[in-house]
Amino acid sequence: MKLGSHVSLGGNDKFLGSIQEALSYNANCLMVYTGAPQNTSRLPLSKLKIPEAWALMAINRIEKTDVFVHAPYIVNLANPDIEKQQFAIQFLTEELIRTTGLGANVMILHPGNHLNRGCEYGIELIAQGINQLHRNTQGDSTIIAIESMSGKGTEVGKTFEELQAIIDLIEDKNRIGVCLDSCHLHDAGYDVQTGFSQVIDEFDRVIGIDKLQVFHLNDSKNIRGVAKDRHANIGFGQIGFPAICEILNHPRISHVAKILETPYVSNPANPKLSYPPYKYEIAMLKAGVFQPDLMDVIVLAEG
Ligand code: FE
Ligand code: FE
Ligand code: ZN
């Protein structure tokens, strides 16, 4: 079973610190943003302690294919403003090069927002953008995994059909894949709570299971279909612990890495302090037993 979480790359030890953080959660896979997801300032690869990170990965049997990069969500390939589109392509080209530099093979990308120009228009621009990214990094094998979205605002990619419409327009099919997110699927209206097998069958029929590169495992604060995208801690949302365990252990996607992106938990006694829930959630998911007390996260963290 591959189970991990998103981890920081911003500490003193950079990518080495990301691996240390993942190991501290007993994770065997991980996802990083190469910088703050809300901005586009990035450090050069030479400053990220990459060889040291690889050495630590080797000792702990974490493969390079267990590392995923998430592109920042503020760049929008579907932006109708040509200058902003060009900036997105330029930035994401560098991000793909960084992904390869970290040794990772998959860059996760939110497809984009059509900004009221219509979904078809967005799909066209996103596919053109991805084709350009592939051309700019020719010879590279790094895969762009477009993430399924909740459908908030004018997001493109809230259905398997929309994702497949993008894939249809991609020239190099070997370098395009998909990232599913249980919270996004639920918020977009897919019944992952009581019908996950059917959802996966539908994914296979519309897109193809071989395109699935990575899975974001999150609970959702919302009822199904509200197109909101608010992640909840595992077992504390509307999807619930039994359904999330079923997703984690589903035989058709057992080979796919599951990444937690659940919210930090703040200490009610001192709300300025908040802690990652991942060690607690990973232990709970591995045991298959729900421990419905988020104070455990704080006890684990504060010792
Ligand atoms: Fe995402
Ligand atoms: Fe996600
Ligand atoms: Zn989300």
Side-chain angles (χ1 to χ4, degrees):
M1 179 194 291
K2 295 277 180 204
L3 179 58
S5 70
H6 76 104
V7 294
S8 167
L9 189 104
N12 285 339
D13 282 326
K14 303 300 166 198
F15 189 40
L16 174 62
S18 311
I19 305 301
Q20 287 164 338
E21 184 181 344
L23 291 171
S24 80
Y25 303 149
N26 300 314
N28 57 4
C29 58
L30 57 140
M31 181 177 84
V32 294
Y33 288 87
T34 62
Q38 311 86 351
N39 71 44
T40 54
S41 67
R42 294 294 182 265
L43 281 173
L45 283 170
S46 59
K47 295 247 162 89
L48 298 182
K49 301 199 180 183
I50 296 170
E52 294 93 327
W54 285 348
L56 185 63
M57 283 161 61
I59 295 168
N60 290 281
R61 287 193 221 91
I62 294 180
E63 311 278 338
K64 289 177 182 171
T65 49
D66 299 327
V67 177
F68 300 88
V69 170
H70 197 311
Y73 35 74
I74 47 146
V75 293
N76 179 17
L77 284 178
N79 200 311
D81 178 328
I82 208 70
E83 232 165 77
K84 288 189 176 137
Q85 243 251 352
Q86 287 311 310
F87 174 80
I89 291 172
Q90 179 56 38
F91 179 84
L92 290 171
T93 299
E94 289 160 22
E95 188 80 341
L96 263 179
I97 294 166
R98 271 189 291 272
T99 301
T100 311
L102 290 172
N105 194 41
V106 176
M107 181 184 85
I108 299 157
L109 176 70
H110 292 187
N113 300 283
H114 63 68
L115 306 174
N116 295 321
R117 300 287 185 107
C119 209
E120 271 175 50
Y121 169 89
I123 286 167
E124 182 72 37
L125 278 187
I126 291 161
Q128 280 175 20
I130 292 174
N131 282 329
Q132 188 60 49
L133 291 175
H134 285 159
R135 277 184 232 114
N136 291 353
T137 54
Q138 211 146 41
D140 234 342
S141 62
T142 319
I143 294 167
I144 296 172
I146 46 178
E147 183 166 351
S148 74
M149 304 309 293
S150 68
K152 188 177 60 181
T154 65
E155 279 174 351
V156 179
K158 61 191 175 293
T159 64
F160 299 154
E161 286 76 9
E162 286 177 20
L163 294 170
Q164 183 55 38
I166 297 169
I167 295 171
D168 279 338
L169 300 172
I170 302 301
E171 286 150 16
D172 188 351
K173 298 275 194 285
N174 292 325
R175 294 187 63 197
I176 187 80
V178 172
C179 166
L180 290 178
D181 181 314
S182 53
C183 170
H184 297 178
L185 287 169
H186 169 90
D187 285 21
Y190 288 96
D191 186 4
V192 298
Q193 195 197 6
T194 65
F196 187 68
S197 280
Q198 287 95 300
V199 173
I200 280 299
D201 287 349
E202 190 178 336
F203 178 83
D204 192 27
R205 185 172 52 76
V206 177
I207 297 179
I209 202 94
D210 57 311
K211 278 276 173 273
L212 184 59
Q213 297 292 328
V214 54
F215 198 106
H216 289 165
L217 202 59
N218 301 304
D219 212 328
S220 170
K221 288 191 171 144
N222 307 295
I223 55 165
R224 177 155 69 93
V226 296
K228 279 220 174 120
D229 190 2
R230 288 162 69 231
H231 300 191
N233 288 104
I234 300 297
F236 290 85
Q238 296 292 323
I239 300 174
F241 191 76
I244 288 175
C245 276
E246 200 184 311
I247 296 170
L248 175 65
N249 296 303
H250 197 283
R252 289 202 79 184
I253 58 164
S254 58
H255 58 292
V256 176
K258 316 294 187 311
I259 301 286
L260 300 162
E261 304 174 295
T262 49
Y264 274 38
V265 177
S266 55
N267 187 340
N270 185 356
K272 275 188 198 145
L273 295 174
S274 68
Y275 301 101
Y278 308 119
K279 184 178 182 180
Y280 158 83
E281 289 181 338
I282 288 170
M284 206 166 63
L285 285 164
K286 280 184 182 165
V289 183
F290 187 37
Q291 306 282 352
D293 186 359
L294 276 179
M295 275 310 286
D296 289 352
V297 172
I298 292 150
V299 174
L300 264 178
E302 291 186 347

